[in-house]
Amino acid sequence: MALSPETFTTRKRRPAASFNTSKLSDLNLLFSLLQLTDQICSLDLNSSANFLFNRASCSAIRKTQLLGVVFEDMIRSSTVNPDSVVVPHSLFLCLEEMYIVLHKIKTLIEDFSNGSRFNLLMQIEIVADTFHRLTGELSTLLDVFPIQELTLNDDVRDLVLLVRKQCSESRPVIGTEQINLRREVVSVLDRIKNEIVPDQAHLSSIFEKLEIRDASSCRAEIENLEEEIQNRSEEQSKADLVALIGLVRFAKCVLFGASTPSTRSVSLRRSRSSEFAVPADYRCPISLELMQDPVVVATGQTYDRVSIKLWMDSGHNTCPKTGQTLAHTDLIPNRVLRNMIATWCREQKIPFEVETVTGKLNGGVTNKAALEATRMTVSFLVNKLKGNDNAPLSVEDTNGAVYELRVLAKTDSDSRACIAEAGAIPLLVRFLDVGMENPSLQVNAVTTILNLSILEANKTRIMETDGALNGIAEVLLSGVTWEAKANAAATVFSLSGVPAHRKKLGRKTRVVSGLVNLARSGPEGARRDALAAILNLAADRETVARLVEGGAISMAAEVMAAMPEEGVTILEAVVKRGGLVAVAAAYAGIKRLGAVLREGSERARESAAATLVTMCRKGGSEVVGELAAVPGVERIIWELMAVGSVRGRRKAATLLRILRRWAAGLDGGESEGMSTTTMITPSTTTLAP
């Protein structure tokens, strides 16, 4: 694997507002320079950054400190006797340029001190050259600094000459130890690429030198590398960073043990997102959660990538928001919106997660080192879960290993394939019924299965695994946390995208009753997941009968008050395929449908009209009479005919004809083909963090 320093270019940053010096007065400029030098001198370098760039950074800080003394003396002279100080115009042009150079030095030190340590190691020549270039720019400015025209004391004058001499003699310096360490990292990546598992002692030595000494520092390093990927446009540069992520993830599990994040870090994003109202434009129309990777579909609507991909993978070829058939399935990144969301998250101090790839990049080119690192990590975790009779795994270690698989299953299809091929699914199924003893382990297990189910091949693997469906049903019915129940429902939704699996799931009475109960009594997000799964199951006529028996119709009528679009869509789908039994069960909900017809959204009114048409045709005059008894129903129908959607107007016209034939003592009405507009989609972001 050829890792060249050129591929690890320094990140591009927007110029800070303080770069604009045109509004600074003469004295204000000196004060700003003094403040900037103080900020540079007070920068706290982490020890690993100090190890990598000790001489370069310390030299830059030392020169800045000396310049601060010069600026302080100039301010003192200007304030003590301002009338006697004649200041040449060239001085302030020089100071303005010096301000920009010093700000670049401050930005450079901050970047390498707070960023990824591995990325810094890989680009040590680039950063060293950048330090040298900025020092050269400073040297040029000090050459034209009008020292003879200023009233400076001798010590300060000598100080300016000293800094000028130091800058002019500066050379880029890189230590031998740092170069050797980089060679070691490249060698480890090459061995991984050739499917050779790295020696643990050697790996430990590398991480010790970079002062990455525990699981939490590994997580921080992975996050920094992921952020670096977002700042790159070159595919090769991204590929090298992805390989480094794979290396750090492998080392995290092997050296420091698989572990779960702290409770505080897990709840941070949830608490933040609930504390601040997320702008509507930043929420995915499918999950109603903050979008992480917004993409545009063929109809021009924007969705979060994982949510719309799950929708498409489940067999849908329509736009969830508009109902239009998608001309193509290409997903175009909405980078402008993503940058806006990222900026908003930074302002609100909300963690902004980005899904990273472990094997494939945007162009579809496989990164061999990253893929092999993933395989090695998965193999290590699965073998750990299999345990040893002589040394059984503790509950904490088990939960940590399952959590690491959950994180890996979130990344991409290659990781999902690796996990399933390694035999992880049967092991995960064993932990679905441990809710009372270990709720966290149950959540991690069901969420990992959910994330694995996105891959089409894994759907069949899950369905064919002994105990998998019973385990998912058990979580639906008696999961200890709402998160576990919601993710179990989302798993059913994902699996039911395949028609053959839909039939098998529908035959499981416990699955149906679990979904109906969750849709009735769960929190909003969990209810949406359950309703989405029920709607998928309702596409099969055999399953509809079981849904009716399980109380899906009365449940849909109940949720109509709080979630009218979802409730009425479920009712439409079930009544359409459920025959007279379904119509009879829905009879008590006619008045509620009338209320939706009067007050619901355009989509809800359309589905309500379609449902009523089906019920009137199948249920006969008794159902029509019940509809006619709804106060002002004809006026409501006329209004829908005037301002509703095309389908809504058509259904409203049919309803009006049915009512008038009934009023005239005639039964029935003309036939009309009907289609159910699918509206409900899961709220759980399937790649659960």
Side-chain angles (χ1 to χ4, degrees):
M1 176 178 181
L3 282 172
S4 62
E6 288 73 16
T7 62
F8 290 92
T9 55
T10 51
R11 70 176 76 180
K12 298 179 181 178
R13 292 172 55 132
R14 291 182 300 173
S18 52
F19 270 40
N20 182 9
T21 60
S22 60
K23 295 183 179 179
L24 295 174
S25 65
D26 297 347
L27 196 55
N28 283 341
L29 177 55
L30 285 172
F31 275 116
S32 296
L33 280 164
L34 182 60
Q35 183 182 32
L36 182 56
T37 56
D38 289 341
Q39 291 172 354
I40 294 174
C41 293
S42 64
L43 289 175
D44 183 20
L45 299 181
N46 63 54
S47 51
S48 63
N50 221 354
F51 159 71
L52 292 170
F53 282 108
N54 183 40
R55 294 182 62 181
S57 59
C58 287
S59 176
I61 291 174
R62 186 171 57 252
K63 293 181 180 67
T64 302
Q65 191 173 19
L66 295 176
L67 287 174
V69 176
V70 177
F71 300 144
E72 190 174 6
D73 187 73
M74 293 174 67
I75 291 172
R76 189 183 301 111
S77 300
S78 300
T79 53
V80 171
N81 194 4
D83 295 333
S84 63
V85 179
V86 179
V87 180
H89 179 67
S90 60
L91 170 66
F92 291 97
L93 294 177
C94 182
L95 292 178
E96 286 180 348
E97 293 297 321
M98 199 173 292
Y99 183 91
I100 294 174
V101 173
L102 290 174
H103 204 293
K104 288 179 179 178
I105 291 174
K106 174 175 176 281
T107 298
L108 181 62
I109 295 175
E110 286 177 334
D111 272 356
F112 75 64
S113 180
N114 299 325
S116 161
R117 301 176 188 186
F118 273 95
N119 181 57
L120 175 60
L121 176 65
M122 291 300 170
Q123 59 170 346
I124 49 178
E125 285 102 340
I126 297 293
V127 178
D129 287 343
T130 305
F131 266 121
H132 178 61
R133 178 176 55 78
L134 292 175
T135 303
E137 292 179 14
L138 206 55
S139 174
T140 301
L141 291 171
L142 289 172
D143 283 341
V144 298
F145 192 79
I147 188 172
Q148 303 300 332
E149 303 177 40
L150 298 176
T151 307
L152 301 174
N153 64 50
D154 292 342
D155 290 340
V156 174
R157 190 183 301 273
D158 291 342
L159 207 56
V160 175
L161 295 175
L162 174 63
V163 177
R164 178 193 294 173
K165 184 174 184 296
Q166 289 178 346
C167 290
S168 64
E169 295 176 353
S170 174
R171 296 290 181 272
V173 180
I174 303 173
T176 305
E177 189 177 0
Q178 289 86 346
I179 293 293
N180 290 338
L181 181 59
R182 189 177 67 183
R183 286 200 190 101
E184 289 181 43
V185 173
V186 173
S187 173
V188 168
L189 290 172
D190 282 335
R191 289 174 68 82
I192 290 175
K193 185 177 179 181
N194 293 322
E195 304 180 27
I196 302 172
V197 179
D199 177 69
Q200 288 193 31
H202 187 203
L203 207 57
S204 179
S205 171
I206 292 173
F207 277 69
E208 177 63 30
K209 289 176 183 177
L210 290 173
E211 298 202 358
I212 302 176
R213 295 174 175 148
D214 52 36
S216 61
S217 58
C218 282
R219 277 193 291 268
E221 178 66 16
I222 290 171
E223 289 172 2
N224 287 331
L225 286 167
E226 289 173 346
E227 184 179 350
E228 289 292 340
I229 288 176
Q230 300 306 313
N231 293 321
R232 306 296 169 83
S233 56
E234 305 84 3
E235 292 299 316
Q236 184 57 49
S237 175
K238 289 184 178 182
D240 294 335
L241 289 170
V242 166
L244 290 173
I245 290 175
L247 171 63
V248 177
R249 187 174 281 127
F250 173 74
K252 174 180 179 291
C253 295
V254 173
L255 297 180
F256 311 117
S259 63
T260 58
S262 65
T263 305
R264 181 181 179 277
S265 61
V266 168
S267 60
L268 178 61
R269 184 177 169 188
R270 290 179 194 156
S271 61
R272 286 290 183 183
S273 58
S274 60
E275 181 181 348
F276 298 99
V278 178
D281 291 343
Y282 296 171
R283 290 182 181 272
C284 174
I286 293 176
S287 67
L288 298 182
E289 293 181 355
L290 185 69
M291 287 188 278
Q292 300 294 314
D293 187 9
V295 292
V296 181
V297 298
T299 58
Q301 300 294 327
T302 297
Y303 302 94
D304 203 8
R305 182 184 295 275
V306 292
S307 297
I308 190 62
K309 193 170 187 309
L310 174 62
W311 172 261
M312 292 176 174
D313 289 347
S314 299
H316 298 94
N317 65 345
T318 58
C319 173
K321 196 169 182 180
T322 65
Q324 295 174 272
T325 300
L326 296 172
H328 57 78
T329 57
D330 295 341
L331 302 178
I332 303 168
N334 191 335
R335 291 192 175 89
V336 174
L337 179 58
R338 186 193 175 282
N339 291 337
M340 292 169 63
I341 294 173
T343 301
W344 180 83
C345 286
R346 283 194 295 270
E347 292 171 352
Q348 306 297 339
K349 294 183 171 56
I350 297 175
F352 184 66
E353 298 178 3
V354 180
E355 182 182 343
T356 59
V357 292
T358 58
K360 291 186 179 179
L361 301 175
N362 295 338
V365 179
T366 299
N367 185 288
K368 187 70 162 57
L371 189 56
E372 291 305 325
T374 298
R375 286 201 177 105
M376 291 176 187
T377 306
V378 169
S379 176
F380 174 82
L381 293 170
V382 169
N383 288 335
K384 191 173 184 179
L385 285 176
K386 288 178 179 177
N388 187 322
D389 293 337
N390 298 325
L393 205 60
S394 68
V395 173
E396 183 180 354
D397 288 342
T398 300
N399 193 26
V402 173
Y403 175 78
E404 294 294 346
L405 288 174
R406 169 181 175 173
V407 172
L408 272 173
K410 173 187 173 184
T411 53
D412 65 2
S413 58
D414 285 330
S415 298
R416 294 174 201 121
C418 287
I419 293 170
E421 289 165 2
I425 295 175
L427 299 174
L428 293 168
V429 169
R430 294 189 328 202
F431 306 125
L432 293 178
D433 60 352
V434 299
M436 296 302 295
E437 297 82 12
N438 196 323
S440 176
L441 179 55
Q442 184 183 62
V443 169
N444 287 330
V446 73
T447 306
T448 306
I449 293 174
L450 165 61
N451 291 343
L452 291 174
S453 72
I454 295 172
L455 187 66
E456 199 69 21
N458 285 350
K459 295 183 195 295
T460 301
R461 288 191 177 106
I462 294 169
M463 294 294 294
E464 293 177 352
T465 299
D466 289 341
L469 293 189
N470 288 335
I472 292 169
E474 182 63 30
V475 177
L476 270 173
L477 286 166
S478 56
V480 176
T481 65
W482 289 119
E483 182 183 5
K485 290 185 175 185
N487 287 348
T491 304
V492 174
F493 170 80
S494 177
L495 296 173
S496 61
V498 179
H501 301 342
R502 189 182 302 148
K503 286 182 177 293
K504 190 172 181 180
L505 286 162
R507 295 190 189 106
K508 289 281 185 182
T509 304
R510 288 167 60 80
V511 169
V512 172
S513 58
L515 291 173
V516 171
N517 291 340
L518 183 60
R520 266 199 175 102
S521 58
E524 183 177 348
R527 294 171 81 181
R528 289 185 186 278
D529 290 326
L531 290 168
I534 290 171
L535 186 60
N536 256 11
L537 294 178
D540 180 70
R541 288 189 178 275
E542 180 185 336
T543 303
V544 166
R546 298 183 181 274
L547 290 173
V548 174
E549 292 173 8
I553 288 182
S554 59
M555 174 277 297
E558 289 173 20
V559 303
M560 260 193 272
M563 307 165 72
E565 292 190 9
E566 290 82 354
V568 77
T569 305
I570 291 289
L571 200 59
E572 178 188 358
V574 175
V575 166
K576 175 184 175 183
R577 299 180 180 90
L580 290 175
V581 176
V583 172
Y587 183 81
I590 290 178
K591 286 188 171 64
R592 293 188 182 184
L593 285 169
V596 173
L597 203 62
R598 180 176 60 251
E599 300 171 354
S601 66
E602 180 178 293
R603 299 287 298 280
R605 296 172 77 188
E606 175 185 308
S607 288
T611 305
L612 288 168
V613 167
T614 303
M615 292 180 66
C616 288
R617 284 180 172 154
K618 292 183 178 181
S621 59
E622 188 175 348
V623 173
V624 180
E626 184 70 14
L627 175 61
V630 174
V633 67
E634 283 207 21
R635 180 184 59 78
I636 297 168
I637 293 173
W638 275 109
E639 181 182 340
L640 183 58
M641 288 173 61
V643 299
S645 64
V646 173
R647 181 171 179 257
R649 291 199 300 269
R650 190 174 71 248
K651 297 296 181 182
T654 303
L655 267 184
L656 188 60
R657 284 194 294 270
I658 290 173
L659 283 173
R660 290 190 170 177
R661 288 174 64 83
W662 172 82
L666 303 173
D667 290 330
E670 63 280 334
S671 298
E672 180 186 6
M674 300 190 337
S675 61
T676 301
T677 302
T678 302
M679 295 165 45
I680 304 175
T681 45
S683 71
T684 301
T685 300
T686 301
L687 294 179

